[in-house]
Amino acid sequence: MDIGSTIRVIRKRKNITIAQICEETGLSQGFMSQVETNKTSPSISTLENIAQVLKVPLAYLLLKKEERMMVVRKEERSITTSGSDNLKVEHLSSTKNVKMMVVEFPPGASTGDTPHAHEGEEVHVVIKGRIYAEQGEDAAEFGEGDSFSWNACTPHLVRNIGKETAIVLISIYTESNSGRSLI
């Protein structure tokens, strides 16, 4: 864990000196310097005092880098294709277990010729167009603003039934961090 570097970055961004932290916490400047260079690990109690001076939640100092906010600008999105119809998939953002994407379904396009299953749970929101979705014995048509969700371990299929490109926002939760395409 790189707690010291996190403390230093926050301290500098907030224009707080090591001396100010030491004055408010009672810690020595030498100790704080060792904390910021990750040469020593402070106790939870000491971290809590430092967090109070920095005006950040203690939990934030304990987060790993990959657990913090990740920003993906529109122009930085990864774009892939999926399925036999080569659906355009824009990957919005993800965490260890949740992936969000926008999928474009041209008229008549679908996630495949037959329903498929995979790990995870999915939530869909139709942003534009009309789609048909089926999972097992359940099936329905959806328009703009409609949403649906399912456990993806049951075979399912999504198809554009409209005359224009349908755009669907999809969020997928999985227990494992598999990198493969799930739609």
Side-chain angles (χ1 to χ4, degrees), residues 50-95:
I50 294 168
Q52 286 175 351
V53 174
L54 295 174
K55 294 181 174 45
V56 297
L58 171 61
Y60 183 78
L61 296 180
L62 300 174
L63 289 175
K64 296 176 187 167
K65 186 174 183 174
E66 61 272 13
E67 296 171 330
R68 293 196 183 133
M69 181 170 69
M70 182 188 347
V71 176
V72 178
R73 303 286 180 201
K74 184 177 181 179
E75 62 276 2
E76 297 170 345
R77 290 179 188 164
S78 169
I79 299 174
T80 59
T81 58
S82 179
S84 57
D85 286 331
N86 289 318
L87 304 175
K88 178 181 173 186
V89 180
E90 287 188 60
H91 301 271
L92 302 179
S93 197
S94 63
T95 65

mmCIF file of all heavy atoms in Angstrom, residues 50-95:
data_model
loop_
_atom_site.group_PDB
_atom_site.id
_atom_site.type_symbol
_atom_site.label_atom_id
_atom_site.label_comp_id
_atom_site.label_asym_id
_atom_site.label_seq_id
_atom_site.Cartn_x
_atom_site.Cartn_y
_atom_site.Cartn_z
ATOM 1 N N ILE A 50 -4.105 12.131 11.036
ATOM 2 C CA ILE A 50 -3.612 12.764 9.809
ATOM 3 C C ILE A 50 -4.784 13.048 8.875
ATOM 4 O O ILE A 50 -4.886 14.132 8.290
ATOM 5 C CB ILE A 50 -2.541 11.879 9.119
ATOM 6 C CG1 ILE A 50 -1.284 11.791 9.991
ATOM 7 C CG2 ILE A 50 -2.207 12.419 7.730
ATOM 8 C CD1 ILE A 50 -0.285 10.721 9.544
ATOM 9 N N ALA A 51 -5.685 12.082 8.753
ATOM 10 C CA ALA A 51 -6.862 12.249 7.890
ATOM 11 C C ALA A 51 -7.710 13.430 8.356
ATOM 12 O O ALA A 51 -8.219 14.196 7.527
ATOM 13 C CB ALA A 51 -7.694 10.970 7.879
ATOM 14 N N GLN A 52 -7.852 13.609 9.654
ATOM 15 C CA GLN A 52 -8.629 14.738 10.177
ATOM 16 C C GLN A 52 -7.996 16.066 9.799
ATOM 17 O O GLN A 52 -8.697 17.001 9.397
ATOM 18 C CB GLN A 52 -8.770 14.629 11.695
ATOM 19 C CG GLN A 52 -9.746 13.569 12.128
ATOM 20 C CD GLN A 52 -9.799 13.393 13.641
ATOM 21 O OE1 GLN A 52 -8.991 13.945 14.378
ATOM 22 N NE2 GLN A 52 -10.766 12.600 14.091
ATOM 23 N N VAL A 53 -6.676 16.152 9.887
ATOM 24 C CA VAL A 53 -5.988 17.390 9.512
ATOM 25 C C VAL A 53 -6.142 17.647 8.013
ATOM 26 O O VAL A 53 -6.366 18.779 7.589
ATOM 27 C CB VAL A 53 -4.486 17.334 9.894
ATOM 28 C CG1 VAL A 53 -3.736 18.558 9.365
ATOM 29 C CG2 VAL A 53 -4.318 17.224 11.404
ATOM 30 N N LEU A 54 -6.066 16.594 7.221
ATOM 31 C CA LEU A 54 -6.200 16.729 5.768
ATOM 32 C C LEU A 54 -7.662 16.889 5.342
ATOM 33 O O LEU A 54 -7.938 17.177 4.182
ATOM 34 C CB LEU A 54 -5.591 15.512 5.066
ATOM 35 C CG LEU A 54 -4.082 15.317 5.217
ATOM 36 C CD1 LEU A 54 -3.656 13.986 4.595
ATOM 37 C CD2 LEU A 54 -3.315 16.470 4.607
ATOM 38 N N LYS A 55 -8.586 16.665 6.269
ATOM 39 C CA LYS A 55 -10.036 16.742 5.996
ATOM 40 C C LYS A 55 -10.453 15.757 4.890
ATOM 41 O O LYS A 55 -11.133 16.114 3.935
ATOM 42 C CB LYS A 55 -10.456 18.169 5.663
ATOM 43 C CG LYS A 55 -10.307 19.127 6.845
ATOM 44 C CD LYS A 55 -10.758 20.530 6.498
ATOM 45 C CE LYS A 55 -10.762 21.480 7.646
ATOM 46 N NZ LYS A 55 -9.670 21.545 8.551
ATOM 47 N N VAL A 56 -9.991 14.503 5.057
ATOM 48 C CA VAL A 56 -10.385 13.420 4.174
ATOM 49 C C VAL A 56 -10.829 12.239 5.037
ATOM 50 O O VAL A 56 -10.370 12.094 6.168
ATOM 51 C CB VAL A 56 -9.243 12.965 3.220
ATOM 52 C CG1 VAL A 56 -8.826 14.076 2.288
ATOM 53 C CG2 VAL A 56 -8.053 12.428 3.984
ATOM 54 N N PRO A 57 -11.713 11.395 4.533
ATOM 55 C CA PRO A 57 -12.100 10.213 5.303
ATOM 56 C C PRO A 57 -10.905 9.262 5.461
ATOM 57 O O PRO A 57 -10.110 9.090 4.527
ATOM 58 C CB PRO A 57 -13.188 9.554 4.450
ATOM 59 C CG PRO A 57 -13.600 10.580 3.452
ATOM 60 C CD PRO A 57 -12.449 11.512 3.276
ATOM 61 N N LEU A 58 -10.782 8.652 6.623
ATOM 62 C CA LEU A 58 -9.710 7.691 6.860
ATOM 63 C C LEU A 58 -9.734 6.594 5.783
ATOM 64 O O LEU A 58 -8.686 6.197 5.278
ATOM 65 C CB LEU A 58 -9.862 7.062 8.251
ATOM 66 C CG LEU A 58 -8.948 5.879 8.557
ATOM 67 C CD1 LEU A 58 -7.482 6.298 8.493
ATOM 68 C CD2 LEU A 58 -9.290 5.283 9.912
ATOM 69 N N ALA A 59 -10.920 6.142 5.426
ATOM 70 C CA ALA A 59 -11.046 5.073 4.423
ATOM 71 C C ALA A 59 -10.369 5.446 3.107
ATOM 72 O O ALA A 59 -9.804 4.587 2.429
ATOM 73 C CB ALA A 59 -12.513 4.738 4.189
ATOM 74 N N TYR A 60 -10.410 6.729 2.738
ATOM 75 C CA TYR A 60 -9.788 7.147 1.480
ATOM 76 C C TYR A 60 -8.284 6.887 1.501
ATOM 77 O O TYR A 60 -7.701 6.471 0.503
ATOM 78 C CB TYR A 60 -10.065 8.625 1.194
ATOM 79 C CG TYR A 60 -9.492 9.063 -0.134
ATOM 80 C CD1 TYR A 60 -10.140 8.755 -1.318
ATOM 81 C CD2 TYR A 60 -8.285 9.744 -0.206
ATOM 82 C CE1 TYR A 60 -9.605 9.115 -2.543
ATOM 83 C CE2 TYR A 60 -7.741 10.118 -1.424
ATOM 84 C CZ TYR A 60 -8.403 9.794 -2.589
ATOM 85 O OH TYR A 60 -7.867 10.141 -3.799
ATOM 86 N N LEU A 61 -7.653 7.124 2.642
ATOM 87 C CA LEU A 61 -6.206 6.889 2.742
ATOM 88 C C LEU A 61 -5.860 5.410 2.600
ATOM 89 O O LEU A 61 -4.757 5.062 2.207
ATOM 90 C CB LEU A 61 -5.667 7.413 4.080
ATOM 91 C CG LEU A 61 -5.761 8.919 4.314
ATOM 92 C CD1 LEU A 61 -5.194 9.273 5.681
ATOM 93 C CD2 LEU A 61 -5.052 9.704 3.220
ATOM 94 N N LEU A 62 -6.811 4.532 2.922
ATOM 95 C CA LEU A 62 -6.563 3.094 2.891
ATOM 96 C C LEU A 62 -6.884 2.444 1.544
ATOM 97 O O LEU A 62 -6.571 1.277 1.330
ATOM 98 C CB LEU A 62 -7.367 2.409 4.002
ATOM 99 C CG LEU A 62 -7.036 2.877 5.418
ATOM 100 C CD1 LEU A 62 -7.987 2.248 6.423
ATOM 101 C CD2 LEU A 62 -5.586 2.586 5.768
ATOM 102 N N LEU A 63 -7.510 3.199 0.641
ATOM 103 C CA LEU A 63 -7.854 2.643 -0.667
ATOM 104 C C LEU A 63 -6.606 2.397 -1.508
ATOM 105 O O LEU A 63 -5.677 3.202 -1.515
ATOM 106 C CB LEU A 63 -8.762 3.603 -1.445
ATOM 107 C CG LEU A 63 -10.185 3.772 -0.957
ATOM 108 C CD1 LEU A 63 -10.889 4.856 -1.781
ATOM 109 C CD2 LEU A 63 -10.939 2.465 -1.038
ATOM 110 N N LYS A 64 -6.621 1.286 -2.228
ATOM 111 C CA LYS A 64 -5.578 1.040 -3.225
ATOM 112 C C LYS A 64 -5.879 1.922 -4.422
ATOM 113 O O LYS A 64 -7.019 2.328 -4.638
ATOM 114 C CB LYS A 64 -5.592 -0.426 -3.652
ATOM 115 C CG LYS A 64 -5.245 -1.378 -2.540
ATOM 116 C CD LYS A 64 -5.375 -2.801 -3.024
ATOM 117 C CE LYS A 64 -5.184 -3.758 -1.859
ATOM 118 N NZ LYS A 64 -5.596 -5.111 -2.192
ATOM 119 N N LYS A 65 -4.874 2.197 -5.234
ATOM 120 C CA LYS A 65 -5.053 3.075 -6.384
ATOM 121 C C LYS A 65 -6.187 2.595 -7.291
ATOM 122 O O LYS A 65 -7.009 3.382 -7.753
ATOM 123 C CB LYS A 65 -3.752 3.183 -7.178
ATOM 124 C CG LYS A 65 -3.825 4.178 -8.296
ATOM 125 C CD LYS A 65 -2.499 4.370 -8.979
ATOM 126 C CE LYS A 65 -2.649 5.440 -10.049
ATOM 127 N NZ LYS A 65 -1.386 5.783 -10.656
ATOM 128 N N GLU A 66 -6.263 1.280 -7.530
ATOM 129 C CA GLU A 66 -7.290 0.747 -8.422
ATOM 130 C C GLU A 66 -8.696 0.808 -7.819
ATOM 131 O O GLU A 66 -9.680 0.564 -8.503
ATOM 132 C CB GLU A 66 -6.958 -0.680 -8.871
ATOM 133 C CG GLU A 66 -6.857 -1.692 -7.763
ATOM 134 C CD GLU A 66 -5.471 -1.818 -7.128
ATOM 135 O OE1 GLU A 66 -4.597 -0.963 -7.359
ATOM 136 O OE2 GLU A 66 -5.283 -2.789 -6.381
ATOM 137 N N GLU A 67 -8.794 1.136 -6.529
ATOM 138 C CA GLU A 67 -10.092 1.256 -5.873
ATOM 139 C C GLU A 67 -10.614 2.696 -5.867
ATOM 140 O O GLU A 67 -11.740 2.941 -5.479
ATOM 141 C CB GLU A 67 -10.002 0.750 -4.427
ATOM 142 C CG GLU A 67 -9.687 -0.725 -4.330
ATOM 143 C CD GLU A 67 -9.391 -1.189 -2.914
ATOM 144 O OE1 GLU A 67 -8.883 -0.394 -2.100
ATOM 145 O OE2 GLU A 67 -9.685 -2.350 -2.624
ATOM 146 N N ARG A 68 -9.783 3.622 -6.280
ATOM 147 C CA ARG A 68 -10.186 5.027 -6.298
ATOM 148 C C ARG A 68 -10.923 5.364 -7.581
ATOM 149 O O ARG A 68 -10.975 4.580 -8.516
ATOM 150 C CB ARG A 68 -8.946 5.912 -6.178
ATOM 151 C CG ARG A 68 -8.292 5.765 -4.844
ATOM 152 C CD ARG A 68 -7.336 6.889 -4.587
ATOM 153 N NE ARG A 68 -6.713 6.623 -3.313
ATOM 154 C CZ ARG A 68 -5.420 6.698 -3.102
ATOM 155 N NH1 ARG A 68 -4.616 7.083 -4.061
ATOM 156 N NH2 ARG A 68 -4.934 6.427 -1.916
ATOM 157 N N MET A 69 -11.447 6.572 -7.613
ATOM 158 C CA MET A 69 -12.204 7.018 -8.778
ATOM 159 C C MET A 69 -11.354 6.908 -10.044
ATOM 160 O O MET A 69 -10.211 7.356 -10.079
ATOM 161 C CB MET A 69 -12.647 8.474 -8.589
ATOM 162 C CG MET A 69 -13.468 8.990 -9.750
ATOM 163 S SD MET A 69 -14.252 10.593 -9.444
ATOM 164 C CE MET A 69 -12.845 11.681 -9.407
ATOM 165 N N MET A 70 -11.939 6.289 -11.038
ATOM 166 C CA MET A 70 -11.293 6.192 -12.343
ATOM 167 C C MET A 70 -12.096 7.058 -13.304
ATOM 168 O O MET A 70 -13.322 6.961 -13.343
ATOM 169 C CB MET A 70 -11.272 4.754 -12.854
ATOM 170 C CG MET A 70 -10.569 4.658 -14.176
ATOM 171 S SD MET A 70 -10.609 3.080 -15.086
ATOM 172 C CE MET A 70 -11.198 1.864 -14.000
ATOM 173 N N VAL A 71 -11.408 7.868 -14.064
ATOM 174 C CA VAL A 71 -12.070 8.764 -15.013
ATOM 175 C C VAL A 71 -11.765 8.285 -16.424
ATOM 176 O O VAL A 71 -10.613 8.036 -16.769
ATOM 177 C CB VAL A 71 -11.577 10.225 -14.830
ATOM 178 C CG1 VAL A 71 -12.192 11.144 -15.871
ATOM 179 C CG2 VAL A 71 -11.870 10.714 -13.416
ATOM 180 N N VAL A 72 -12.818 8.147 -17.227
ATOM 181 C CA VAL A 72 -12.658 7.819 -18.645
ATOM 182 C C VAL A 72 -13.389 8.900 -19.423
ATOM 183 O O VAL A 72 -14.617 8.989 -19.389
ATOM 184 C CB VAL A 72 -13.236 6.427 -18.987
ATOM 185 C CG1 VAL A 72 -13.091 6.136 -20.478
ATOM 186 C CG2 VAL A 72 -12.574 5.340 -18.150
ATOM 187 N N ARG A 73 -12.642 9.744 -20.087
ATOM 188 C CA ARG A 73 -13.241 10.797 -20.902
ATOM 189 C C ARG A 73 -13.831 10.182 -22.176
ATOM 190 O O ARG A 73 -13.364 9.143 -22.658
ATOM 191 C CB ARG A 73 -12.202 11.858 -21.274
ATOM 192 C CG ARG A 73 -11.531 12.500 -20.091
ATOM 193 C CD ARG A 73 -12.447 13.450 -19.396
ATOM 194 N NE ARG A 73 -11.769 14.052 -18.256
ATOM 195 C CZ ARG A 73 -12.382 14.594 -17.250
ATOM 196 N NH1 ARG A 73 -13.700 14.642 -17.229
ATOM 197 N NH2 ARG A 73 -11.719 15.111 -16.237
ATOM 198 N N LYS A 74 -14.852 10.835 -22.708
ATOM 199 C CA LYS A 74 -15.545 10.301 -23.884
ATOM 200 C C LYS A 74 -14.571 9.942 -25.000
ATOM 201 O O LYS A 74 -14.670 8.866 -25.601
ATOM 202 C CB LYS A 74 -16.572 11.326 -24.386
ATOM 203 C CG LYS A 74 -17.394 10.830 -25.539
ATOM 204 C CD LYS A 74 -18.441 11.836 -25.956
ATOM 205 C CE LYS A 74 -19.266 11.297 -27.110
ATOM 206 N NZ LYS A 74 -20.307 12.228 -27.525
ATOM 207 N N GLU A 75 -13.604 10.803 -25.255
ATOM 208 C CA GLU A 75 -12.664 10.557 -26.350
ATOM 209 C C GLU A 75 -11.634 9.478 -26.011
ATOM 210 O O GLU A 75 -10.892 9.024 -26.873
ATOM 211 C CB GLU A 75 -11.963 11.864 -26.763
ATOM 212 C CG GLU A 75 -11.132 12.516 -25.682
ATOM 213 C CD GLU A 75 -11.911 13.414 -24.726
ATOM 214 O OE1 GLU A 75 -13.153 13.537 -24.837
ATOM 215 O OE2 GLU A 75 -11.270 14.008 -23.842
ATOM 216 N N GLU A 76 -11.605 9.019 -24.745
ATOM 217 C CA GLU A 76 -10.656 7.994 -24.326
ATOM 218 C C GLU A 76 -11.288 6.612 -24.220
ATOM 219 O O GLU A 76 -10.618 5.646 -23.876
ATOM 220 C CB GLU A 76 -10.058 8.369 -22.962
ATOM 221 C CG GLU A 76 -9.257 9.655 -22.974
ATOM 222 C CD GLU A 76 -8.894 10.127 -21.575
ATOM 223 O OE1 GLU A 76 -9.488 9.641 -20.586
ATOM 224 O OE2 GLU A 76 -8.020 10.986 -21.474
ATOM 225 N N ARG A 77 -12.579 6.500 -24.491
ATOM 226 C CA ARG A 77 -13.270 5.223 -24.355
ATOM 227 C C ARG A 77 -12.681 4.162 -25.272
ATOM 228 O O ARG A 77 -12.370 4.432 -26.431
ATOM 229 C CB ARG A 77 -14.753 5.358 -24.700
ATOM 230 C CG ARG A 77 -15.554 6.129 -23.712
ATOM 231 C CD ARG A 77 -16.992 6.214 -24.166
ATOM 232 N NE ARG A 77 -17.750 7.118 -23.326
ATOM 233 C CZ ARG A 77 -18.924 7.619 -23.642
ATOM 234 N NH1 ARG A 77 -19.490 7.293 -24.795
ATOM 235 N NH2 ARG A 77 -19.542 8.430 -22.817
ATOM 236 N N SER A 78 -12.588 2.962 -24.757
ATOM 237 C CA SER A 78 -12.196 1.817 -25.568
ATOM 238 C C SER A 78 -13.431 1.391 -26.359
ATOM 239 O O SER A 78 -14.539 1.331 -25.817
ATOM 240 C CB SER A 78 -11.732 0.696 -24.642
ATOM 241 O OG SER A 78 -11.588 -0.505 -25.341
ATOM 242 N N ILE A 79 -13.254 1.113 -27.631
ATOM 243 C CA ILE A 79 -14.370 0.684 -28.484
ATOM 244 C C ILE A 79 -14.011 -0.662 -29.088
ATOM 245 O O ILE A 79 -12.937 -0.830 -29.673
ATOM 246 C CB ILE A 79 -14.672 1.726 -29.585
ATOM 247 C CG1 ILE A 79 -15.069 3.058 -28.937
ATOM 248 C CG2 ILE A 79 -15.764 1.221 -30.520
ATOM 249 C CD1 ILE A 79 -15.254 4.206 -29.912
ATOM 250 N N THR A 80 -14.925 -1.625 -28.919
ATOM 251 C CA THR A 80 -14.731 -2.954 -29.483
ATOM 252 C C THR A 80 -16.001 -3.353 -30.225
ATOM 253 O O THR A 80 -16.970 -2.600 -30.254
ATOM 254 C CB THR A 80 -14.442 -3.993 -28.372
ATOM 255 O OG1 THR A 80 -15.542 -4.025 -27.457
ATOM 256 C CG2 THR A 80 -13.159 -3.654 -27.617
ATOM 257 N N THR A 81 -15.968 -4.529 -30.815
ATOM 258 C CA THR A 81 -17.170 -5.087 -31.440
ATOM 259 C C THR A 81 -17.475 -6.415 -30.774
ATOM 260 O O THR A 81 -16.588 -7.059 -30.213
ATOM 261 C CB THR A 81 -16.997 -5.277 -32.958
ATOM 262 O OG1 THR A 81 -15.882 -6.133 -33.182
ATOM 263 C CG2 THR A 81 -16.799 -3.948 -33.659
ATOM 264 N N SER A 82 -18.742 -6.818 -30.848
ATOM 265 C CA SER A 82 -19.148 -8.055 -30.190
ATOM 266 C C SER A 82 -20.212 -8.762 -31.028
ATOM 267 O O SER A 82 -21.042 -8.109 -31.659
ATOM 268 C CB SER A 82 -19.710 -7.734 -28.795
ATOM 269 O OG SER A 82 -20.129 -8.909 -28.139
ATOM 270 N N GLY A 83 -20.187 -10.079 -30.978
ATOM 271 C CA GLY A 83 -21.218 -10.883 -31.617
ATOM 272 C C GLY A 83 -21.072 -10.992 -33.118
ATOM 273 O O GLY A 83 -20.234 -10.342 -33.739
ATOM 274 N N SER A 84 -21.948 -11.812 -33.700
ATOM 275 C CA SER A 84 -21.894 -12.059 -35.141
ATOM 276 C C SER A 84 -22.262 -10.822 -35.949
ATOM 277 O O SER A 84 -21.868 -10.685 -37.104
ATOM 278 C CB SER A 84 -22.817 -13.226 -35.511
ATOM 279 O OG SER A 84 -24.142 -12.943 -35.086
ATOM 280 N N ASP A 85 -23.011 -9.883 -35.339
ATOM 281 C CA ASP A 85 -23.379 -8.647 -36.033
ATOM 282 C C ASP A 85 -22.382 -7.515 -35.783
ATOM 283 O O ASP A 85 -22.619 -6.373 -36.173
ATOM 284 C CB ASP A 85 -24.783 -8.202 -35.610
ATOM 285 C CG ASP A 85 -25.868 -9.077 -36.219
ATOM 286 O OD1 ASP A 85 -25.641 -9.616 -37.320
ATOM 287 O OD2 ASP A 85 -26.937 -9.212 -35.596
ATOM 288 N N ASN A 86 -21.261 -7.837 -35.133
ATOM 289 C CA ASN A 86 -20.233 -6.843 -34.827
ATOM 290 C C ASN A 86 -20.826 -5.574 -34.203
ATOM 291 O O ASN A 86 -20.606 -4.461 -34.694
ATOM 292 C CB ASN A 86 -19.408 -6.496 -36.070
ATOM 293 C CG ASN A 86 -18.508 -7.641 -36.477
ATOM 294 O OD1 ASN A 86 -17.884 -8.281 -35.633
ATOM 295 N ND2 ASN A 86 -18.456 -7.920 -37.760
ATOM 296 N N LEU A 87 -21.576 -5.751 -33.129
ATOM 297 C CA LEU A 87 -22.162 -4.610 -32.426
ATOM 298 C C LEU A 87 -21.057 -3.708 -31.903
ATOM 299 O O LEU A 87 -20.056 -4.193 -31.379
ATOM 300 C CB LEU A 87 -23.005 -5.109 -31.247
ATOM 301 C CG LEU A 87 -24.117 -6.105 -31.572
ATOM 302 C CD1 LEU A 87 -24.782 -6.586 -30.296
ATOM 303 C CD2 LEU A 87 -25.127 -5.487 -32.508
ATOM 304 N N LYS A 88 -21.231 -2.402 -32.046
ATOM 305 C CA LYS A 88 -20.253 -1.448 -31.524
ATOM 306 C C LYS A 88 -20.460 -1.328 -30.015
ATOM 307 O O LYS A 88 -21.559 -1.033 -29.548
ATOM 308 C CB LYS A 88 -20.439 -0.079 -32.185
ATOM 309 C CG LYS A 88 -19.478 0.978 -31.651
ATOM 310 C CD LYS A 88 -19.734 2.326 -32.319
ATOM 311 C CE LYS A 88 -18.915 3.415 -31.678
ATOM 312 N NZ LYS A 88 -19.264 4.728 -32.207
ATOM 313 N N VAL A 89 -19.381 -1.569 -29.256
ATOM 314 C CA VAL A 89 -19.427 -1.521 -27.803
ATOM 315 C C VAL A 89 -18.453 -0.454 -27.314
ATOM 316 O O VAL A 89 -17.251 -0.561 -27.550
ATOM 317 C CB VAL A 89 -19.053 -2.886 -27.183
ATOM 318 C CG1 VAL A 89 -19.110 -2.823 -25.658
ATOM 319 C CG2 VAL A 89 -19.946 -3.996 -27.722
ATOM 320 N N GLU A 90 -18.989 0.584 -26.664
ATOM 321 C CA GLU A 90 -18.151 1.616 -26.058
ATOM 322 C C GLU A 90 -18.052 1.319 -24.575
ATOM 323 O O GLU A 90 -19.055 1.316 -23.866
ATOM 324 C CB GLU A 90 -18.755 3.005 -26.255
ATOM 325 C CG GLU A 90 -18.648 3.527 -27.655
ATOM 326 C CD GLU A 90 -19.080 4.983 -27.736
ATOM 327 O OE1 GLU A 90 -18.472 5.837 -27.056
ATOM 328 O OE2 GLU A 90 -20.048 5.247 -28.470
ATOM 329 N N HIS A 91 -16.840 1.071 -24.104
ATOM 330 C CA HIS A 91 -16.614 0.743 -22.700
ATOM 331 C C HIS A 91 -16.494 2.044 -21.913
ATOM 332 O O HIS A 91 -15.566 2.821 -22.123
ATOM 333 C CB HIS A 91 -15.367 -0.119 -22.566
ATOM 334 C CG HIS A 91 -15.485 -1.389 -23.352
ATOM 335 N ND1 HIS A 91 -16.024 -2.531 -22.829
ATOM 336 C CD2 HIS A 91 -15.190 -1.667 -24.653
ATOM 337 C CE1 HIS A 91 -16.036 -3.475 -23.760
ATOM 338 N NE2 HIS A 91 -15.537 -2.981 -24.876
ATOM 339 N N LEU A 92 -17.467 2.282 -21.029
ATOM 340 C CA LEU A 92 -17.527 3.546 -20.301
ATOM 341 C C LEU A 92 -16.564 3.569 -19.134
ATOM 342 O O LEU A 92 -15.687 4.423 -19.053
ATOM 343 C CB LEU A 92 -18.953 3.804 -19.806
ATOM 344 C CG LEU A 92 -20.026 3.835 -20.896
ATOM 345 C CD1 LEU A 92 -21.393 4.064 -20.283
ATOM 346 C CD2 LEU A 92 -19.715 4.884 -21.936
ATOM 347 N N SER A 93 -16.745 2.668 -18.212
ATOM 348 C CA SER A 93 -15.893 2.617 -17.035
ATOM 349 C C SER A 93 -16.109 1.278 -16.368
ATOM 350 O O SER A 93 -17.062 0.558 -16.684
ATOM 351 C CB SER A 93 -16.229 3.759 -16.072
ATOM 352 O OG SER A 93 -15.182 3.949 -15.144
ATOM 353 N N SER A 94 -15.224 0.943 -15.445
ATOM 354 C CA SER A 94 -15.377 -0.329 -14.753
ATOM 355 C C SER A 94 -14.691 -0.279 -13.407
ATOM 356 O O SER A 94 -13.831 0.563 -13.150
ATOM 357 C CB SER A 94 -14.786 -1.463 -15.595
ATOM 358 O OG SER A 94 -13.396 -1.273 -15.765
ATOM 359 N N THR A 95 -15.116 -1.201 -12.565
ATOM 360 C CA THR A 95 -14.437 -1.471 -11.304
ATOM 361 C C THR A 95 -14.007 -2.927 -11.391
ATOM 362 O O THR A 95 -14.154 -3.563 -12.440
ATOM 363 C CB THR A 95 -15.376 -1.262 -10.093
ATOM 364 O OG1 THR A 95 -16.428 -2.229 -10.164
ATOM 365 C CG2 THR A 95 -15.936 0.148 -10.055
#
